[in-house]
């Protein structure tokens, strides 16, 4: 069988819309790029974004900041993490997550991953007990939501403060409730490869007034916090403003102006992503040896990337499979490689933390393949990509590679 190669780039996002470009040009013409540089009575774009995102999330408070990783650092610090304290987190996540824990002075305690790519709740319960951790930074890695009801029940039983890493779940929900509204605080990224794109950027949401105030001061608000868009009352700041350090990491008006119109388009884009995701899923559901993560009916996901497992695949077969797909124009990332590549990540390469034994996660990562699904691909493109992957998986079976 010959398969037509795919020729489009996997890293090409859609352009910023004309409305975003016009808003960015307005900011540039004004010269007031810094978020606190406002005229009397003017609301900065950064503050407008905070208001709009808080409304979108249904949260009381929102802080716009420099990156998703930075938002996680602030979330941990503002939650009262002490130096050297353990923080539970997913073993299957991206490097900025353990990085944020370490930057905030914490010690990551890694929790196993299931075949459906979510945090292993039995291991979570066990490690919550054995570590005595007060914090869980749950990473909804690649947009896969654990059973949030069961996870929150464990957190409640153990008294864990939950921080959600929603880098891949902006726009997602569990049983109709927005991802990011389960924990005490949630962190989002507006980096180019996430769901809204300002190059770099982060958003933090919470309903907790003191946590919000601390996060705002930490982000480098000087004493201009009253100019924020979705912040608690000044009285809350009075209590904490002098004891909270400034760790500058603000968002500027240029990025906020680009993001505002994208937020309006987010829900429609989620549907566009999911149409592409379903085309991939349909095209691969019968492919030999492939396990597709089960997406529970309670999960309203955002299919901005696609993962599948080939359980038991040997390393040389995995490398050959990735190369075969690449020869046909399909860029797969394999999480089992000895060294992390691009946006893959493995706990073995985080040598700045204590090594931890994670046999279940290692087994999952050894057979895990990952692909970006930019909206510049159409649904037909995704059918075509699925055909190529199925073809390469078929070759694996013929070669009899274990
Ligand atoms: C991208 C990402 C982050 C961090 O986002 P940045 O804005 O790049 O710091 C955190 N967690 C996950 C799972 C991510 O993919």
């Amino acid at each position: 069988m010959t398969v037509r190669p795919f020729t489009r780039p996997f890293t090409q996002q859609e352009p910023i819309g004309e409305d975003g470009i016009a808003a960015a040009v307005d900011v540039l013409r004004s010269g007031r790029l810094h978020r606190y540089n406002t005229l009397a009575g003017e609301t900065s774009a950064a503050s407008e974004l905070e208001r709009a995102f808080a409304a979108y999330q249904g949260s009381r408070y929102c802080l716009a900041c420099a990156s998703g990783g930075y938002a996680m650092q602030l979330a941990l610090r503002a939650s009262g993490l002490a130096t050297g304290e353990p923080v539970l987190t997913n073993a299957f996540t991206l490097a900025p997550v353990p990085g944020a824990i370490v930057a905030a002075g914490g010690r990551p305690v890694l929790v196993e991953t299931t075949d459906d790519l979510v945090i292993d709740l039995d291991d979570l319960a066990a490690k919550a007990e054995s570590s005595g951790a007060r914090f869980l930074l749950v990473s909804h890695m690649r947009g896969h939501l654990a059973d949030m009801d069961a996870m929150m029940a464990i957190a409640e039983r153990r008294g864990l403060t939950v921080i959600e890493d929603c880098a891949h779940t902006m726009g997602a929900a569990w049983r109709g409730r927005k991802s990011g509204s389960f924990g005490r605080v949630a962190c989002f990224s507006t980096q180019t490869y996430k769901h809204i794109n300002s190059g770099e950027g982060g958003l933090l949401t919470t309903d907790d007034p003191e946590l919000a105030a601390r996060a705002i001061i930490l982000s480098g608000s000087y004493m201009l916090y009253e100019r924020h868009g979705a912040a608690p009352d000044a009285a809350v700041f009075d209590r904490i403003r002098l004891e909270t350090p400034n760790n500058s990491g603000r968002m500027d008006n240029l990025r906020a102006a680009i993001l505002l119109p994208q937020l309006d388009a987010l829900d429609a884009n989620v549907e566009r992503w999911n149409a592409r995701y379903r085309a991939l899923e349909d095209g691969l559901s019968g492919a030999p040896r492939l396990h597709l993560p089960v997406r529970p009916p309670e999960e309203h996901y955002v299919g901005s990337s696609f993962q599948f497992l080939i359980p038991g695949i040997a390393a040389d077969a995995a490398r050959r499979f990735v190369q075969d797909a690449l020869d046909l124009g399909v860029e797969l990332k394999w999480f089992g490689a000895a060294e992390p590549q691009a946006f893959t990540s493995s706990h073995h390469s985080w040598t700045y933390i204590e090594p931890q034994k994670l046999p279940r996660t290692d087994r999952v990562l050894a057979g895990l393949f990952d692909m970006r699904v930019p909206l510049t691909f159409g649904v037909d493109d995704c059918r075509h990509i699925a055909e190529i992957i199925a073809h390469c998986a078929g070759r694996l079976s013929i070669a009899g590679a274990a």
Side-chain angles (χ1 to χ4, degrees), residues 66-70 72 93-94 96-97 139-142 165 167-168 188-191 194 200-202 343:
S67 73
Y70 178 80
M72 290 188 285
T93 186
L94 213 64
V97 178
S139 182
H140 307 306
M141 177 64 169
R142 292 299 192 259
D165 167 17
H168 296 141
F188 301 81
S189 169
T190 65
Q191 189 235 76
K194 311 297 163 89
E200 302 287 355
F343 288 95

Side-chain angles (χ1 to χ4, degrees), residues 170-195:
M170 183 189 283
W174 178 265
R175 262 193 315 98
R177 186 167 157 192
K178 285 243 164 72
S179 178
S181 69
F182 289 84
R184 179 144 172 242
V185 46
C187 305
F188 301 81
S189 169
T190 65
Q191 189 235 76
T192 292
Y193 300 111
K194 311 297 163 89
H195 300 168

Side-chain angles (χ1 to χ4, degrees), residues 4 6 8 275-276 279-280 377-387:
R4 190 166 45 93
F6 185 72
R8 310 185 73 157
R276 286 151 182 78
L280 287 162
F377 292 179
V379 172
D380 281 342
D381 290 327
C382 291
R383 289 198 191 100
H384 183 188
I385 291 166
E387 200 185 316

Side-chain angles (χ1 to χ4, degrees), residues 48 53 67 105 110 121 134 145 182 197 201 258 268-269 278 281 296 303 324 328 333 339 342 398:
E48 277 183 46
F53 194 67
S67 73
L110 305 178
L121 296 181
R134 297 191 297 146
L145 289 174
F182 289 84
N197 173 13
I258 293 170
N269 281 341
R278 281 190 286 270
E281 208 174 41
D324 280 355
L328 289 165
K333 302 287 184 238
E339 292 282 322
I398 291 162

